[in-house]
Each structure stands twice: as C-alpha cells, then as structure tokens.
Amino acid sequence: MNYTLHQLVVFLKVTKTKSITKAAVDLHLTQPAVSIQLRNFQDQFEIPLTEIVGRKLFVTDFGNEIALAAERIIEEVNLIDFKTSAYKGMLSGRLRVSVVSTGKYVMPYFLSEFINANKGIELEMDVTNKSIVVESLIQNKVDFALVSILPKGLNLEHRVLMENKLFLVGNKDHTKNENQTVEQLFTETPLIFREDGSVTRTIMENFLKTIGVEPNLKLQLTSNEAVKQAVIAGLGISIMPLIGLKNELENGTLHIIPIDGLPITTDWTLVWMKGKVLTPISKAYLEFIDKNKDDLFEKNFNWIKSTIHPNFH
C-alpha cells in the first residue's frame, strides 16, 4: 500500500457526497483531478471500493469500512496539527456548531469573545431545523450543537448555557380581557404555529393539550422571524421564546399576554455526542464556557430579568 493523505481526503469526500462532481466542488478541485486520485487510491485494493450503477456512484460495503478508517486517520492527522499549534501558544482550525433556528439569538453571544481571542479559529455555524441538527450530531459533522430540548435516544454530554422561557405574545390589539377565558382566547383568536418538527411547535402543542384546548383558527409559518412579523401585523397570537423579542417588547409592537401555565421554561443547552474525541479547540471552548457563561449571560441577557412581568417570577 502506498496511498497518500490527499487520496484519503478525496476518497472520504466522495463517499460522503456520493458524487465526483460534488466532491470536486467541496475540495476546490477539478473533476478529472478527483477521478484520478480516486482511481489511484482504488487501484491499491483488490476489492472494489465504489461502483457505478446506472451512472450513479455507490460505495461498496468494503468501501464503507475503508471510509471509516480514512476518517479516523484524517482526524488523527488534524489532531497533530491542532496540538502543534497549541504547543506554539495558538489555537487554529475549525469549530463547527449546529444551532436550532431560534438559537441564533443565543449562540453568537457565547462564541464571540472566544473567537475574537483566538484569531486562528475558523467558525462554521449552521442555523437550521431540529432534525438537521440531530442528524449533524449523529453523523459527527459538528463539534457541538445548541438545542432547547435534549433530543431523545441520543447519548449526549451537555452544558446548560441559560434558560429559555416561552410566553404568549400578541400585538397591541390582541389582549385578554378579565372576563375572557383561556379557551375563549385561543378559539376566538388565530393562533400562529411554527412548522411541523419545530421544537417551539411541539412545546405549543403540548401546552394546549395540557390545558385541554383545541384552537379553531390556526396559521403555520416556517421561521420564528416570520411568526414574529405575523403577530406584529395582527394576524394572530403565538407562544414564542422570549429571547428573540427584546426590541419588539421594548418598542411596544409586541406585548406578553399573561395566562396561567406560562411561561414554559426549558434550557438552552450545548450538546455533543458522548465518547466523541474532542479537538483541542473544542476542549478550549468548553473551558471558556465553564469559566465565563454566567458573566456572558449577565452581560448580554440581563434585560430578560427586567422584561418579564413580575407575576411570572
């Protein structure tokens, strides 16, 4: 065997993308260059690693085994690079974080000081939906993920960053009068939901089930920002995380509608798979969080304490 590290990188990328074209784009190489490296690598094995069926590339069972070994080798080589930089007093490399959509109001504030203090680190933060976040964890594509509810069925390590409180909110025209019951409020006023699979939607549905209410009028939107703008425009009311409502609550375009059973409280939690080999960057970031998370909360989110209605404490 006389394969090179570059060939391992190319082969692993091909197995992940299932496409020479996509692998070439990701690696910033030409398609012929990828094809040559892949062929030279495969020629060193008596058993096929890939096969073409109907113009589509498939990885054989043996190829998948070699891909797992290649991934471990590449991780070890990266670890050597990380350790070398760390020995020189520098952290360099990539920190990969996947964040559920509403977490975009949280995660940057727990990252900025660390990234600014370590100029050699390249941050890759993907803001997406819960299912993709979970898949990124399972596939070991990220170092950490930020979630508001721990995914079921995964063996995870975690650090709680701060509380996540959800309130019923409306614009200035949507209020609950003293004689109106909670059931009347939800059945007479359109209720705006997030899309299926959203954590916020799951929390809303569980709350409505708990209080025994089935809303008659529903709207469904695909992002927290879209829901917020719909509430401001007067299309309905919604149960939303407080974290994304600071400006609107301060300028009066939104207000909290107090009802029994709210707020619902979860935790914004940084998670990673148990047993994952943490890079020096990941370890340094965890040390930074353990040391600074309380100060970061006070610095960036102290407004939450003064925003919440006194009856909710």
Side-chain angles (χ1 to χ4, degrees), residues 69 82 102 139 146 156 170 277:
F82 288 140
T102 308
Q139 297 297 326
L146 183 71
L156 298 171
V277 178

Side-chain angles (χ1 to χ4, degrees), residues 200-213:
T200 302
R201 182 185 180 114
T202 300
I203 290 173
M204 284 181 63
E205 290 176 336
N206 289 341
F207 172 71
L208 293 171
K209 187 181 298 183
T210 299
I211 64 175
V213 170

Side-chain angles (χ1 to χ4, degrees), residues 134-300:
V134 171
E135 186 65 21
S136 296
L137 284 169
I138 295 173
Q139 297 297 326
N140 197 32
K141 293 180 178 179
V142 295
D143 299 298
F144 301 108
L146 183 71
V147 296
S148 59
I149 294 181
L150 294 178
K152 295 180 180 179
L154 296 184
N155 197 5
L156 298 171
E157 303 276 5
H158 70 278
R159 294 286 193 280
V160 174
L161 300 185
M162 58 181 284
E163 285 186 335
N164 176 42
K165 292 182 179 291
L166 295 94
F167 292 86
L168 181 66
V169 296
N171 73 359
K172 62 182 186 300
D173 297 322
H174 285 136
T175 59
K176 177 182 177 297
N177 61 55
E178 293 182 359
N179 297 323
Q180 189 180 34
T181 66
V182 172
E183 184 174 3
Q184 289 172 331
L185 174 66
F186 283 120
T187 55
E188 295 172 1
T189 309
L191 188 59
I192 304 175
F193 283 81
R194 284 285 305 276
E195 77 281 4
D196 284 332
S198 161
V199 172
T200 302
R201 182 185 180 114
T202 300
I203 290 173
M204 284 181 63
E205 290 176 336
N206 289 341
F207 172 71
L208 293 171
K209 187 181 298 183
T210 299
I211 64 175
V213 170
E214 175 62 34
N216 294 325
L217 304 169
K218 302 179 184 178
L219 298 173
Q220 178 175 299
L221 298 173
T222 57
S223 74
N224 195 67
E225 194 63 32
V227 172
K228 182 166 63 176
Q229 295 303 322
V231 174
I232 292 172
L235 288 175
I237 58 178
S238 186
I239 295 174
M240 301 185 69
L242 182 67
I243 195 69
L245 306 177
K246 181 177 186 289
N247 293 335
E248 291 75 19
L249 291 172
E250 288 180 348
N251 64 31
T253 53
L254 290 178
H255 72 101
I256 294 172
I257 303 174
I259 63 171
D260 291 339
L262 294 179
I264 298 168
T265 301
T266 64
D267 289 315
W268 286 113
T269 305
L270 195 70
V271 299
W272 64 99
M273 295 296 290
K274 191 168 187 177
K276 177 178 175 61
V277 178
L278 297 179
T279 67
I281 290 176
S282 300
K283 291 179 180 177
Y285 181 61
L286 284 180
E287 291 173 2
F288 170 82
I289 287 298
D290 289 340
K291 182 179 179 180
N292 297 287
K293 68 175 184 176
D294 292 339
D295 290 338
L296 291 172
F297 174 83
E298 289 297 325
K299 178 179 177 181
N300 298 293

Side-chain angles (χ1 to χ4, degrees), residues 40-188:
N40 290 341
F41 182 66
Q42 292 192 116
D43 286 347
Q44 300 182 65
F45 298 89
E46 296 180 3
I47 304 172
L49 305 180
T50 64
E51 55 187 1
I52 304 295
V53 179
R55 301 183 66 182
K56 188 174 181 180
L57 186 145
F58 292 87
V59 183
T60 66
D61 290 342
F62 180 65
N64 283 320
E65 291 293 328
I66 298 301
L68 289 174
E71 187 167 30
R72 288 194 294 269
I73 292 169
I74 293 168
E75 285 180 354
E76 289 298 322
V77 171
N78 289 336
L79 187 58
I80 291 172
D81 293 339
F82 288 140
K83 287 183 176 180
T84 301
S85 296
Y87 188 79
K88 294 178 180 178
M90 300 179 297
L91 281 174
S92 65
R94 183 173 299 168
L95 181 65
R96 301 166 299 172
V97 183
S98 186
V99 180
V100 294
S101 58
T102 308
K104 65 179 178 285
Y105 300 111
V106 176
M107 198 66 216
Y109 295 98
F110 286 92
L111 282 167
S112 60
E113 289 188 16
F114 178 75
I115 297 299
N116 289 333
N118 297 278
K119 300 297 185 182
I121 295 177
E122 177 185 346
L123 174 63
E124 184 179 298
M125 189 173 79
D126 183 29
V127 180
T128 184
N129 61 45
K130 176 189 173 185
S131 61
I132 295 178
V133 169
V134 171
E135 186 65 21
S136 296
L137 284 169
I138 295 173
Q139 297 297 326
N140 197 32
K141 293 180 178 179
V142 295
D143 299 298
F144 301 108
L146 183 71
V147 296
S148 59
I149 294 181
L150 294 178
K152 295 180 180 179
L154 296 184
N155 197 5
L156 298 171
E157 303 276 5
H158 70 278
R159 294 286 193 280
V160 174
L161 300 185
M162 58 181 284
E163 285 186 335
N164 176 42
K165 292 182 179 291
L166 295 94
F167 292 86
L168 181 66
V169 296
N171 73 359
K172 62 182 186 300
D173 297 322
H174 285 136
T175 59
K176 177 182 177 297
N177 61 55
E178 293 182 359
N179 297 323
Q180 189 180 34
T181 66
V182 172
E183 184 174 3
Q184 289 172 331
L185 174 66
F186 283 120
T187 55
E188 295 172 1

